[in-house]
Amino acid sequence: AGPKVVSGPNSDPNCFAPWTENVKLFQFQRKAGPYRIALANGFIANTWRIQMIKTAKAYASQPDVAAKLKEFKVVSTGEDVAAQIAAVNNFIDSGYDAIVVNAQNPTAFRPVIKRANDAGVVLVAFDNTLDTEDAINVNVDQKGLGRYWADWLVKNLPNGGKILEVRGVSGTSVDRDRHDGIQEVFKASGKPWETVEVLGKWDDPTAQKVTADAIAVHKHFDGMTAQGGDTGVVQAMIDAKHPFVAFGGETENGFRKFCAKYSADGLKCASGGTGPAQVAVAIKTAIAALEGNVVPQSIKLPLARVEDPNLKDGQDYYSEQSDNFFVGNAFPTCGINFTAQEIMGQSEANQ
Amino acid sequence: MAFFQMEGVSKRYGGVSALQNASLSVEMGRIHAILGENGAGKSTLIKVMSGVVTPDEGRMIMEGREVQFASPAAANRAGIACIFQELSLLPDLSVADNISISNPPKHFGLIDRKAQRRIAEEALARAGGPDIHPLTLVKDLPLSRRQIVEIAKALARKPRILILDEATSALAAADVEKVYTVLKRLRSERLALLYISHRMQEIAELADDCTVFRNGRNIATYRAGTKSDNEVVELMIGREYSHVFPPKPDVGRQETPILLEASGLSWTSRIKDISFRVRAGEVVGLGGLDGQGQRELLLALFGVLRGLSGEIRIEGKPVSVASPHRAKASDLGMALIPEDRKTEGLMLPMSVRDNLSFAALGRLSHFGVIDRDVENTAVADMIRLLAIRADGTDIPVGSLSGGNQQKVLIAKWLMITPRIILLNDPTRGIDVGTKQEFYKLLRQLADAGRAIIFYSTDYAELIGCCDRVLVLYGGAIKRELVGKEITERALVSSALNIGRQAEEAGEKSVAAR
Amino acid sequence: MRDWRYHVGENRDTLLAFAVFLIMFGIYTGNHPAGFTANVVTTAANKGVILALVAMAQTAVVLTAGIDLSVGMIFLLANCLASWIVVGSPGMTALGLLGVLLVGLLCGAINGLVVIFGRLQPIVTTIATGAVYFGLALFLRPVPGGDVNSELADSLTGQLPGGIPASLVVLFLIILTIWLPFRRSEIGRAVYAVGSSEAAAYMSGVPVRKAKFVAYCLSGLFAAMGGLFLTFFTYSGEASAANGGAYTLYSIAAVVLGGISLFGGKGSVIGAVFGALMFRTIGDLLFVFDLEPLWQPLFQGVVLLLAVSLGSLRLFQIRNRLDLFG
Amino acid sequence: MSIFAKSLIRHIDPAVAIAFGCIAALLLFGSFYSTSFISPAFLLQQLKVASFLGIIATGAMIVILLGQIDLSIPWLVAVGGMMSTAIVGWRSPMGEVLAIPFGVLCGVAFGLVNGFAVAYLRIPSMIITLAVNAVAQGLMVVHTGGFSPQDASSFAMRFLATGNSLLGIPNALLVWAAVGGGATFLLSRTVFGRAVYGIGNSERAVYLSGVRSQRIVMLAFALSGGLSAFGGVLLAGYASKAAQGMGDAYLLPAIAAVVLGGTSILGGRGTYLGTIAGVILITLLQSILSVMQIEEAGRQIIYGVVIILMLLLYGRERRVQ
Ligand SMILES: Nc1ncnc2c1ncn2[C@@H]1O[C@H](COP(=O)(O)OP(=O)(O)OP(=O)(O)O)[C@@H](O)[C@H]1O
Ligand SMILES: Nc1ncnc2c1ncn2[C@@H]1O[C@H](COP(=O)(O)OP(=O)(O)OP(=O)(O)O)[C@@H](O)[C@H]1O
Ligand SMILES: [Mg+2]
Ligand SMILES: [Mg+2]
């Protein structure tokens, strides 16, 4: 069956902001609740994903959401995209009403999307979204994020300069999009920019090591940008006694702690990204679609961002907390107001 | 013109000359024995012949044409099949697969299993092992059966020259007889046979021609029977030779204390209610056909077997030997020279020194740290004591000749100064010269108050060395032979469990003749 | 006639893997909300077949007593290449298929040549060649994408009349036409011989090098088939190092679960298939048991740990401690 | 030539000598790209980073000498890092003191499981360590999700991993030197070391020599687990925090480094000096490639090809026969 493409109106334009004006609006066959919703996650073993899953569970157990759900099931299948596709297939065959995915591979779900639409199952992708117009994507503007970082560097280095760009995992679309965004802005600025690219794999120790190597070889950079593992990048700067420079980076708490601490010494940061709470937006979208509400096919998430000198302890970062979690876990326009602290702070003891 | 000839063949391994300008000529329809000390170069010679080793110089002529073999497969095609000293069977494959491993019968390009099985059955029958099922995996067969398979495998290649490098060393007397029959038949089928063995009586029984090797050279070639055993041995070792076995002390040492006492030892179905005592200074032999529980008995004493029932007492104190580690502890003081030195005794790639000191490291170290001076001294002592021929202590033990490896294995255990020595067929593949030294050593150890249990597949050894022999049959002691009672006839008949009457009857009939 | 006992003995580990798989799959489908339906079986078959092919690739090398840590990367390379060339008209698609298989074969051949003529240890050789193959895959697919002939893909991952998963039938045909003849050929036996004891095989005149070479080629070929199936399943190519690494490790697990000795010479590709299916079913059990999401990886780890420990039950039978040391 | 030099030459494995030659060649090659590659700052930075791999590879080497392999390195590294940081905040200052030993002990515990299964249950190491790796991962995921753990490293961890001592020598390098010295001593001078080599050649022979081979195997795996975890502890100090994926990048490089250093993957043969060379080689190669501005695809290809070429140069097995 699949959704009907309708002309509108968008049921909640504040939360479900369409990616562009031309994005199709979907209306699914309205189903009676409560619903069975599944989250098909892939990789699990990092803080972002763990935080995401905990957020999903927390969101699903909020009273107003829980009232609409008969079942909320989470399965993590690991790195292997085939296993994830099989999991989605299984959810479809088991009669789930909606499936939320964080896809291991954006292009691999074509057959599954078709099956889901045929079965009238709502499929919502987030974080690593799907290259499709037939399922709902809750998008982070990855390219826009790259632009945001580069804009910050352009603003701080009006005459151009030598930039260290710490990239993510090669072979992924997220890495490519962010990189393209950065380079586009540099090119457009008309200033002389030299970028040195290294591969930090979104991982602190790796990013730290490659940054240290780059500093040892190139001696000096005028600015830096990193897609992840930013805390490690700053740490490498500190270790090498590299002067603090302008930095465009992600939203790790550790990174923001550094930014706040060394702001006066020249570590001028722009920190942006979207936290794991986007899963909640995805679930919310799925429920809205099941209720027969009109939702855009491609939803744009606002970036959680903050720039120097506006970082505030207890709001933009938590000086007493772990470095590892991602701040920016709230989407007020969607009525999703978790703080990362709430999510990661739920220890067995205080639950 | 001989059927096959080698001339001026030399082969060096690093600094060691395994063969120096050696030559050999082989005739069809004859069994040609090759004799020589350990390390004389016999195995190297036949490895050259069968394409395993390329010689540094020299040439080979077969039926008047010069030949060269790049691989064992090439030698095979030319009609040379070899049974190596180190078995060349594939343990995970079936007997039938092994027998036709290099040129299986085919059927539409695939192996024809039916035909292969037929070939295997035929070859096994010819090799004296018709009872071996062709589908058994080789690793499930005992060593002596594997040896038969090895012979069958060589025969299935329809060779014109068949080489046996100590092919009988693992076989018990009964099996050896079967092999003799096979070899004699092959001779009558006009095969050329090369036969390497350290057992003089085998050579006397089989050989038509003999060639003696010493230090990589062929020293002498003669018709079998034209030289006395002593002359042959002197040729081999290059010095005078007399008295293989040292004299046994007079009986009547019942005074010495009982060191080891076993009562009612049983284990699965392999050992049945075995009881015996060994006094200090005694050499007790284990006899019987191969595979009657002798090996298991030694392993049981040494703490290797699980679920052993019965009691072991040492110096009258009941002990429980849970592991070899416990067995070698100084209050028990046991040592076991295992059967297969390549996998159970030595770590071939490791140095002579590391191997020699391995079992005794506990006492060459303080708090787990090896005292290298003490170690070196101890190693040097042992090398001297057993006259081990090695080019330094740093070379891998695997590069020594078989006999010298065996000496290292024995020395390794002497280093812990054991009180009870268990020997599992220790002279396998050792040359006569070394054997003689070994027998002497054995007696010295006994005289020094050790208790020795000695399993051998060679009856002559049991007769020459032991004060007493326990003959095992089906896992139980069938008979105990003491002193003068230890004769070949007694050993054989009790091994076959024919019983005393038969033996006596036999003796009478001999007397009657 | 006691022959059947030997035949059963020879295939005991394969049969055991089959039995354990059946039990696990029974538990899975028994608890599946949709039950034992054609769709559920097809889904399981599709993802099972992908791993089964990679496990078969691993088996070919393991039988020679080697190990191939590049199978996952050959698999990725085949996937990325297929997402370029297995498209278009039936003729083009066929050529593309052939091309992918040839590239797989070539990768395997390179592994084999380096191991044989370079006399290098397989494990590091394949770590290094794996990096090269991954580089090539990344070169082909810097980001995920591409396409595949969807008719072919749909028919190979779909169902035949009667609800039989097409992928299983293809796997069966591959075993029937490649593995069984190979197993019964002289060179196939040589592979077992080399794995059983390389020195003895050489002494017996077995073509050791040829056997190893063929084993590595076969491995590359099977890995490429796995890559093709991944492409059929995902309609795209992706050079994900994590995925390649995961498949390599899974393939080792599958091989062991399938009763193949890592010391070589013993086991069968068919065992590896059941090992792979069993490994996949361990993952599937998550689906039917309601586990806390964050406990799922632990659950999988523990089940794997238990599964691989099962083999040590045979220790209770060992009476002679020397048998412990194989 | 002095007697010392002569005996040194006799004892140095040619493979190890060529490995060090390759290091020189690599640096020379790097210096064409940028002279910074031979600057003391870069070299010290490399040695510092190499120390983490070096410590992890030490454990891997001991296990490889047994003829086994430890595939649980990735998550045992993570266990070391995460467990040590988790305890830092516990009842301070107790946690600060316990952090390093606790992290290492957790690694030892997992190593003991590996070792017990390999030695006593006779499960092939290749598979049991894979399973233990999966279990360790599972536990760490539960740990992160369930206990909201502290993950900042302690002062001591940071000091060991990033501090410098006299003459500007990184502390991490000194730690590696200590671990390496210990390993060299253990392998060449102790009963344990002899037994490790012995087991790598023939465990049967070792057992029949009255050495408790199974205990040695178990201890070796425990050691490897402990060293992996210690590597994780230092990495956590280096990055000043622990993270789940921190060990992923260490498994294959550790194995490659050990083998590049001339240790036989079949066990029983190899020297620690070789492992040092292998670790430095891998680290340098990775760093030089990382800083060169080429596509990742190209880097991977060069990385693989260079390793093969180096192995061909000296890592070849002796011919059969
Ligand atoms: N692969 C090798 N590497 C180094 N030296 C070797 C090798 N093979 C044999 N040798 C040496 O060559 C010499 C001859 O050995 P060979 O094995 O031919 O002796 P053999 O006469 O067969 O002795 P045995 O009766 O003990 O079997 C010995 O000194 C041995 O140490
Ligand atoms: N100098 C010595 N003289 C006599 N017996 C000794 C001597 N040193 C040790 N032993 C004994 O030899 C036996 C074997 O101990 P050894 O030290 O070789 O074992 P090990 O494998 O090192 O075990 P451990 O871990 O207990 O040290 C021990 O029971 C010990 O009592
Ligand atoms: Mg010989
Ligand atoms: Mg001791």
Side-chain angles (χ1 to χ4, degrees):
Chain A
K4 269 192 303 204
V5 177
V6 295
S7 56
N10 187 339
S11 61
D12 185 356
N14 280 333
C15 179
F16 307 140
W19 184 252
T20 63
E21 284 168 16
N22 309 328
V23 162
K24 289 188 282 189
L25 291 170
F26 277 173
Q27 184 168 30
F28 283 81
Q29 180 78 44
R30 186 194 154 85
K31 280 193 189 172
Y35 306 113
R36 295 170 69 206
I37 295 187
L39 166 58
N41 179 43
F43 183 62
I44 183 170
N46 67 27
T47 309
W48 199 98
R49 295 289 175 118
I50 293 169
Q51 196 178 337
M52 181 271 283
I53 285 177
K54 296 194 75 171
T55 310
K57 291 288 272 188
Y59 182 72
S61 55
Q62 286 190 343
D64 53 329
V65 181
K68 293 178 183 172
L69 296 181
K70 188 154 83 190
E71 183 186 350
F72 180 67
K73 186 169 182 104
V74 183
V75 167
S76 298
T77 46
E79 315 269 12
D80 176 14
V81 65
Q84 192 178 26
I85 293 173
V88 175
N89 274 328
N90 271 323
F91 283 129
I92 295 172
D93 289 331
S94 308
Y96 281 79
D97 299 306
I99 302 164
V100 178
V101 278
N102 186 345
Q104 283 300 115
N105 169 344
T107 57
F109 282 70
R110 248 181 295 165
V112 186
I113 294 167
K114 196 165 155 296
R115 286 197 71 201
N117 281 338
D118 289 349
V121 175
V122 175
L123 194 63
V124 180
F126 69 99
D127 186 30
N128 291 299
T129 50
L130 300 173
D131 287 356
T132 181
E133 297 206 341
D134 299 324
I136 301 172
N137 274 322
V138 174
N139 270 306
V140 179
D141 183 4
Q142 304 292 3
K143 201 163 173 179
L145 192 55
R147 282 204 209 95
Y148 164 70
W149 292 330
D151 279 335
W152 174 255
L153 292 172
V154 170
K155 190 175 136 211
N156 278 276
L157 299 164
N159 302 320
K162 190 168 178 179
I163 304 295
L164 177 67
E165 183 191 349
V166 181
R167 296 187 58 171
V169 172
S170 47
T172 61
S173 53
V174 173
D175 171 63
R176 174 207 47 194
D177 291 345
R178 292 179 177 186
H179 171 73
D180 289 350
I182 293 171
Q183 295 300 329
E184 232 169 60
V185 170
F186 282 159
K187 203 165 276 161
S189 75
K191 294 287 171 340
W193 297 97
E194 185 194 340
T195 42
V196 172
E197 291 172 31
V198 291
L199 224 58
K201 303 193 176 164
W202 299 326
D203 165 51
D204 280 299
T206 311
Q208 184 175 350
K209 177 182 178 301
V210 293
T211 305
D213 286 344
I215 292 175
V217 171
H218 291 271
K219 306 285 192 269
H220 183 79
F221 294 99
D222 301 306
M224 294 193 187
T225 172
Q227 298 189 8
D230 309 37
T231 322
V233 175
V234 178
Q235 186 71 46
M237 251 197 284
I238 298 171
D239 290 348
K241 306 205 169 52
H242 187 283
F244 287 116
V245 292
F247 199 125
E250 254 279 359
T251 62
E252 297 104 323
N253 191 41
F255 172 57
R256 287 188 173 182
K257 273 153 73 176
F258 274 137
C259 291
K261 188 166 167 196
Y262 296 115
S263 165
D265 304 315
L267 186 61
K268 303 286 177 210
C269 298
S271 164
T274 35
Q278 50 180 292
V279 69
V281 181
I283 297 170
K284 186 183 169 84
T285 312
I287 294 174
L290 286 172
E291 285 172 335
N293 295 325
V294 174
V295 293
Q297 181 266 325
S298 180
I299 294 171
K300 184 171 183 169
L301 284 171
L303 286 178
R305 51 198 238 189
V306 60
E307 296 93 29
D308 185 80
N310 304 323
L311 286 144
K312 278 196 268 308
D313 195 359
Q315 174 189 319
D316 301 307
Y317 70 95
Y318 303 89
S319 56
E320 295 303 313
Q321 300 283 319
S322 153
D323 283 358
N324 271 339
F325 68 87
F326 293 78
V327 202
N329 216 27
F331 294 95
T333 49
C334 294
I336 292 167
N337 291 311
F338 296 110
T339 65
Q341 218 182 351
E342 270 166 27
I343 294 299
M344 295 311 280
Q346 295 175 342
S347 70
E348 308 290 282
N350 60 22
Q351 240 169 17
Chain B
M1 187 79 204
F3 175 60
F4 180 92
Q5 257 181 310
M6 295 171 95
E7 286 169 7
V9 178
S10 299
K11 175 72 192 174
R12 263 176 300 281
Y13 290 106
V16 185
S17 250
L19 285 177
Q20 290 180 53
N21 197 17
S23 55
L24 183 74
S25 80
V26 181
E27 311 270 354
M28 291 170 78
R30 296 184 76 83
I31 298 182
H32 194 135
I34 296 183
L35 298 89
E37 276 187 288
N38 291 127
K42 307 178 296 292
S43 296
T44 312
L45 182 84
I46 60 106
K47 279 183 185 160
V48 169
M49 263 183 89
S50 54
V52 176
V53 163
T54 21
D56 301 331
E57 40 189 86
R59 51 190 207 130
M60 292 187 277
I61 298 154
M62 192 165 179
E63 295 184 302
R65 259 174 301 132
E66 183 160 346
V67 288
Q68 271 171 340
F69 305 130
S71 68
N76 258 304
R77 282 191 292 275
I80 299 180
C82 186
I83 297 161
F84 295 99
Q85 189 169 2
E86 304 86 12
L87 293 183
S88 61
L89 293 177
L90 300 154
D92 294 302
L93 267 53
S94 71
V95 168
D97 274 333
N98 265 286
I99 286 176
S100 49
I101 186 77
S102 57
N103 60 339
K106 288 195 209 155
H107 190 62
F108 300 120
L110 300 181
I111 296 171
D112 180 347
R113 293 196 184 168
K114 277 213 189 89
Q116 172 174 290
R117 180 164 174 178
R118 240 183 356 257
I119 293 173
E121 274 166 358
E122 251 165 53
L124 284 168
R126 275 181 84 193
D131 54 321
I132 298 173
H133 195 287
L135 294 183
T136 334
L137 299 188
V138 165
K139 67 175 171 202
D140 296 334
L141 292 174
L143 203 56
S144 58
R145 304 268 87 185
R146 290 186 205 182
Q147 203 66 268
I148 303 280
V149 175
E150 185 84 66
I151 295 172
K153 173 178 157 190
L155 289 181
R157 292 174 182 178
K158 309 247 175 318
R160 293 192 296 165
I161 303 180
L162 178 65
I163 307 170
L164 298 97
D165 188 355
E166 302 192 33
T168 49
S169 62
L171 298 189
D175 289 322
V176 173
E177 287 293 341
K178 286 186 199 156
V179 175
Y180 288 172
T181 324
V182 174
L183 296 183
K184 285 175 182 161
R185 194 180 59 238
L186 293 175
R187 171 170 60 190
S188 67
E189 291 170 9
R190 299 210 36 82
L191 258 71
L193 294 140
L194 269 178
Y195 193 83
I196 301 177
S197 173
H198 290 293
R199 293 183 181 166
M200 298 298 280
Q201 73 273 28
E202 288 182 2
I203 292 182
E205 165 94 28
L206 281 174
D208 303 307
D209 306 303
C210 303
T211 298
V212 177
F213 272 73
R214 187 165 80 224
N215 293 333
R217 281 179 237 264
N218 48 316
I219 296 294
T221 302
Y222 57 90
R223 293 255 145 181
T226 58
K227 286 189 196 303
S228 75
D229 275 4
N230 259 8
E231 280 173 310
V232 175
V233 173
E234 277 164 20
L235 273 176
M236 281 164 60
I237 62 180
R239 61 184 153 84
E240 242 174 77
Y241 175 85
S242 57
H243 299 301
V244 187
F245 298 106
K248 293 186 205 175
D250 296 332
V251 226
R253 350 170 107 194
Q254 266 70 345
E255 285 68 41
T256 58
I258 294 170
L259 260 187
L260 174 68
E261 182 174 3
S263 47
L265 289 188
S266 297
W267 180 74
T268 66
S269 60
R270 310 295 299 277
I271 303 182
K272 292 181 194 137
D273 194 25
I274 287 187
S275 308
F276 62 89
R277 312 166 152 194
V278 188
R279 292 176 181 279
E282 241 188 337
V283 180
V284 174
L286 296 180
L289 298 173
D290 192 29
Q292 301 302 311
Q294 300 95 334
R295 293 188 163 87
E296 288 79 3
L297 178 59
L298 295 179
L299 292 178
L301 293 173
F302 204 55
V304 174
L305 303 184
R306 260 187 200 157
L308 179 76
S309 60
E311 196 180 43
I312 299 174
R313 258 167 291 178
I314 288 183
E315 287 181 326
K317 275 195 300 278
V319 292
S320 91
V321 192
S323 67
H325 176 80
R326 178 75 189 97
K328 82 170 182 188
S330 52
D331 58 327
L332 307 187
M334 283 200 253
L336 171 74
I337 316 289
E339 151 186 36
D340 183 352
R341 67 170 173 268
K342 296 205 186 287
T343 62
E344 299 186 336
L346 299 172
M347 281 113 1
L348 294 181
M350 287 173 78
S351 70
V352 172
R353 178 201 306 115
D354 290 359
N355 272 285
L356 277 173
S357 58
F358 202 85
L361 278 180
R363 55 197 63 184
L364 302 175
S365 61
H366 309 292
F367 304 108
V369 179
I370 299 167
D371 184 332
R372 292 215 276 200
D373 292 336
V374 176
E375 183 189 13
N376 285 335
T377 321
V379 165
D381 286 349
M382 277 301 154
I383 289 183
R384 211 170 323 112
L385 183 68
L386 294 197
I388 296 169
R389 284 205 336 210
D391 181 19
T393 54
D394 279 333
I395 59 166
V397 85
S399 67
L400 300 185
S401 76
N404 276 303
Q405 290 181 14
Q406 192 72 29
K407 285 188 191 172
V408 170
L409 179 52
I410 296 169
K412 157 180 161 180
W413 279 106
L414 291 187
M415 236 192 231
I416 69 157
T417 49
R419 296 186 301 162
I420 300 166
I421 304 177
L422 313 172
L423 298 149
N424 188 351
D425 212 359
T427 56
R428 229 174 82 199
I430 294 195
D431 67 49
V432 260
T434 312
K435 268 185 193 167
Q436 190 191 17
E437 291 169 40
F438 171 75
Y439 301 143
K440 248 195 266 164
L441 182 70
L442 202 64
R443 188 45 70 187
Q444 277 167 17
L445 291 169
D447 289 344
R450 316 272 157 84
I452 295 173
I453 302 183
F454 178 30
Y455 171 52
S456 173
T457 46
D458 186 347
Y459 289 155
E461 276 181 1
L462 292 177
I463 298 165
C465 293
C466 301
D467 301 317
R468 272 191 296 144
V469 175
L470 310 174
V471 182
L472 270 68
Y473 183 85
I477 297 181
K478 277 292 161 227
R479 194 164 166 200
E480 180 175 340
L481 301 168
V482 183
K484 295 260 175 333
E485 288 172 17
I486 312 173
T487 62
E488 176 140 17
R489 178 181 299 275
L491 281 171
V492 172
S493 62
S494 53
L496 298 172
N497 200 22
I498 308 175
R500 234 169 272 226
Q501 297 87 343
E503 186 193 325
E504 276 151 20
E507 240 147 43
K508 271 186 212 124
S509 73
V510 171
R513 248 192 280 156
Chain C
M1 269 305 187
R2 313 195 325 281
D3 285 12
W4 63 270
R5 274 184 38 203
Y6 290 97
H7 292 299
V8 169
E10 194 183 340
N11 296 305
R12 197 183 52 215
D13 292 330
T14 303
L15 292 174
L16 192 71
F18 177 63
V20 177
F21 162 69
L22 276 191
I23 293 170
M24 287 175 70
F25 198 72
I27 295 175
Y28 169 61
T29 48
N31 289 290
H32 196 290
F36 184 78
T37 64
N39 276 350
V40 169
V41 175
T42 306
T43 300
N46 282 340
K47 83 172 171 171
V49 165
I50 298 172
L51 181 60
L53 285 164
V54 182
M56 285 162 71
Q58 188 67 266
T59 307
V61 173
V62 165
L63 282 177
T64 68
I67 189 100
D68 187 346
L69 295 188
S70 72
V71 279
M73 298 309 180
I74 299 178
F75 164 79
L76 280 191
L77 177 57
N79 169 232
C80 292
L81 184 64
S83 70
W84 282 106
I85 64 173
V86 184
V87 287
S89 67
M92 291 297 293
T93 303
L95 276 182
L97 280 178
L98 205 63
V100 172
L101 294 180
L102 276 180
V103 166
L105 200 68
L106 190 70
C107 291
I110 291 173
N111 284 343
L113 290 176
V114 177
V115 166
I116 295 162
F117 292 101
R119 298 204 300 275
L120 298 183
Q121 293 159 345
I123 192 166
V124 272
T125 305
T126 51
I127 288 179
T129 56
V132 174
Y133 304 147
F134 174 65
L136 292 172
L138 199 54
F139 175 77
L140 287 172
R141 282 279 161 228
V143 286
D147 204 353
V148 70
N149 183 323
S150 58
E151 278 164 43
L152 179 67
D154 287 346
S155 59
L156 291 187
T157 56
Q159 290 167 10
L160 297 178
I164 299 163
S167 53
L168 276 191
V169 175
V170 175
L171 182 69
F172 183 73
L173 289 178
I174 292 173
I175 291 175
L176 203 67
T177 56
I178 301 181
W179 173 253
L180 290 183
F182 174 77
R183 177 72 182 92
R184 294 200 50 186
S185 70
E186 196 175 350
I187 195 71
R189 191 173 68 186
V191 166
Y192 280 79
V194 168
S196 187
S197 162
E198 189 168 335
Y202 176 77
M203 295 272 224
S204 309
V206 173
V208 171
R209 292 178 167 191
K210 197 164 128 200
K212 281 194 181 178
F213 181 72
V214 170
Y216 279 93
C217 287
L218 204 58
S219 167
L221 187 69
F222 283 145
M225 289 177 177
L228 275 174
F229 251 95
L230 180 68
T231 324
F232 297 146
F233 200 44
T234 63
Y235 282 53
S236 65
E238 185 197 22
S240 153
N243 204 19
Y247 268 91
T248 303
L249 296 184
Y250 294 170
S251 74
I252 298 173
V255 157
V256 173
L257 293 177
I260 293 143
S261 163
L262 290 173
F263 304 107
K266 192 168 147 284
S268 147
V269 143
I270 301 168
V273 168
F274 292 121
L277 296 178
M278 205 196 300
F279 185 83
R280 286 303 206 190
T281 312
I282 293 178
D284 281 338
L285 291 180
L286 293 183
F287 190 84
V288 295
F289 292 122
D290 226 353
L291 289 164
E292 260 309 295
L294 293 180
W295 287 78
Q296 289 173 2
L298 182 61
F299 171 80
Q300 267 180 298
V302 170
V303 174
L304 180 61
L305 194 70
L306 293 179
V308 303
S309 306
L310 273 185
S312 52
L313 286 180
R314 79 184 161 82
L315 291 187
F316 288 112
Q317 296 170 2
I318 285 191
R319 308 266 54 141
N320 180 343
R321 291 199 185 87
L322 281 184
D323 294 343
L324 289 177
F325 305 102
Chain D
M1 206 192 295
S2 72
I3 297 172
F4 175 73
K6 267 190 200 149
S7 82
L8 199 67
I9 286 176
R10 198 150 40 88
H11 278 102
I12 284 187
D13 192 347
V16 176
I18 303 175
F20 279 104
C22 285
I23 293 175
L26 213 52
L27 283 173
L28 191 71
F29 173 78
S31 69
F32 290 130
Y33 177 77
S34 159
T35 50
S36 310
F37 280 123
I38 42 177
S39 70
F42 180 80
L43 292 179
L44 278 181
Q45 148 73 11
Q46 290 315 304
L47 287 174
K48 173 161 128 188
V49 177
S51 305
F52 310 129
L53 180 60
I55 287 166
I56 295 166
T58 306
M61 179 194 180
I62 293 174
V63 166
I64 288 176
L65 279 178
L66 289 175
Q68 306 287 358
I69 197 136
D70 187 352
L71 299 182
S72 64
I73 286 175
W75 281 91
L76 295 200
V77 168
V79 163
M82 294 177 69
M83 289 292 108
S84 57
T85 53
I87 208 88
V88 168
W90 184 70
R91 286 203 201 162
S92 65
M94 270 268 265
E96 183 86 13
V97 177
L98 286 180
I100 297 179
F102 183 72
V104 174
L105 277 181
C106 288
V108 169
F110 279 100
L112 278 174
V113 175
N114 281 332
F116 180 80
V118 173
Y120 294 94
L121 302 183
R122 310 310 294 181
I123 305 172
S125 55
M126 175 121 15
I127 181 73
I128 189 68
T129 54
L130 207 60
V132 166
N133 189 51
V135 170
Q137 166 179 356
L139 283 173
M140 288 305 102
V141 167
V142 170
H143 166 76
T144 316
F147 298 94
S148 173
Q150 174 90 3
D151 55 16
S153 46
S154 71
F155 171 77
M157 287 158 70
R158 277 195 293 275
F159 175 76
L160 282 184
T162 60
N164 288 326
S165 298
L166 60 159
L167 305 173
I169 295 174
N171 289 341
L173 187 56
L174 297 179
V175 173
W176 183 24
V179 168
T184 311
F185 182 79
L186 194 68
L187 288 176
S188 61
R189 290 295 196 84
T190 65
V191 179
F192 175 83
R194 275 289 166 80
V196 166
Y197 282 97
I199 291 169
N201 283 305
S202 167
E203 184 169 3
R204 221 170 224 272
V206 170
Y207 172 76
L208 280 177
S209 301
V211 173
R212 284 169 283 191
S213 65
Q214 292 173 304
R215 215 169 60 158
I216 306 266
V217 170
M218 190 165 77
L219 288 178
F221 272 93
L223 206 57
S224 170
L227 285 168
S228 290
F230 187 47
V233 167
L234 290 180
L235 271 174
Y238 175 65
S240 66
K241 68 196 188 63
Q244 295 88 353
M246 54 199 278
D248 287 354
Y250 285 88
L251 174 63
L252 295 187
I255 296 173
V258 171
V259 177
L260 269 178
T263 297
S264 165
I265 201 87
L266 306 173
R269 196 156 49 80
T271 59
Y272 194 75
L273 197 60
T275 299
I276 296 176
V279 165
I280 296 177
L281 261 180
I282 293 278
T283 309
L284 269 184
L285 184 60
Q286 283 179 340
S287 298
I288 291 178
L289 285 174
S290 134
V291 176
M292 283 183 154
Q293 294 299 298
I294 33 178
E295 283 291 309
E296 172 67 3
R299 280 182 204 155
Q300 290 285 341
I301 294 173
I302 297 175
Y303 178 72
V305 170
V306 169
I307 290 185
I308 296 254
L309 290 181
M310 286 193 294
L311 285 171
L312 285 179
L313 205 55
Y314 64 80
R316 310 180 67 180
E317 298 274 283
R318 269 160 283 175
R319 263 181 197 287
V320 196
Q321 307 319 318

